[in-house]
Amino acid sequence: MATLPPQSQKWPADRALLLVHGVGNARPGDYNALVAQITNILADQQKQYAIYVFYYDQVNNWFADKGNAPLAVASLFNALRSKLDSTALGNVVADFAGDVIWPILLLDARDAVRTALLRQLQQIVLDGKKAGIRQPAQHLSIICHSLGCFHVFETL
């Protein structure tokens, strides 16, 4: 399974912010507008923030692909083909299963997301050290939404 490498950046001060999304297929770049808005909001602060975004959907997609879930779910709804588009419904249900059910119920999926999040948190701390900020003086805030709250809570 290929996961995105942890983001790394230079800290402008002693503060970092990690954004963790909820259910959905978030990709690098999807949160650029949000990061710009947060940067503008925080511009009046005395200290600037390094802003990171954690993307875990590549883990969810790997489990969906591994299980060939869209085809399995489509066959489950094959009997309803005359009333429903079973392929479209299968894709929706498989995507939901990959985003919500597997990362919660399957230990391997939960561990994969947790490991990716831990790698990102470790990189944030290392970036702070590279900026000359000792670990006790580093300030890290995490804002998470929906299923991202579950992943962050479980990881911490």
Side-chain angles (χ1 to χ4, degrees):
M1 173 188 59
T3 61
L4 293 173
Q7 292 177 339
S8 180
Q9 59 182 288
K10 186 173 177 4
W11 283 32
D14 64 347
R15 300 174 189 282
L17 173 64
L18 176 63
L19 304 174
V20 182
H21 66 88
V23 174
N25 291 316
R27 294 178 184 87
D30 286 354
Y31 285 89
N32 288 351
L34 177 62
V35 170
Q37 187 175 17
I38 291 172
T39 301
N40 286 336
I41 291 169
L42 296 174
D44 293 336
Q45 301 294 314
Q46 290 180 340
K47 295 185 178 183
Q48 297 299 307
Y49 286 73
I51 301 176
Y52 298 79
V53 181
F54 177 67
Y55 300 99
Y56 58 84
D57 286 307
Q58 71 278 5
V59 175
N60 298 342
N61 294 341
W62 174 65
F63 274 91
D65 290 343
K66 183 179 178 186
N68 218 358
L71 294 176
V73 174
S75 67
L76 186 65
F77 292 103
N78 198 26
L80 302 173
R81 180 171 273 181
S82 63
K83 295 181 182 181
L84 301 171
D85 178 356
S86 62
T87 302
L89 183 58
N91 286 333
V92 169
V93 172
D95 194 42
F96 178 78
D99 283 353
V100 178
I101 297 172
W102 288 324
I104 293 174
L105 298 181
L106 294 180
L107 185 57
D108 289 344
R110 286 170 56 192
D111 186 54
V113 173
R114 180 181 171 273
T115 299
L117 183 53
L118 284 172
R119 287 179 58 215
Q120 182 60 68
L121 291 169
Q122 288 171 336
Q123 186 61 53
I124 292 170
V125 170
L126 290 173
D127 288 348
K129 285 182 180 181
K130 286 180 190 173
I133 302 157
R134 295 181 55 218
Q135 200 167 357
Q138 293 180 8
H139 300 278
L140 172 60
S141 299
I142 302 174
I143 298 175
C144 45
H145 171 70
S146 187
L147 189 61
C149 296
F150 170 82
H151 292 308
V152 169
F153 179 77
E154 181 164 87
T155 298
L156 295 177

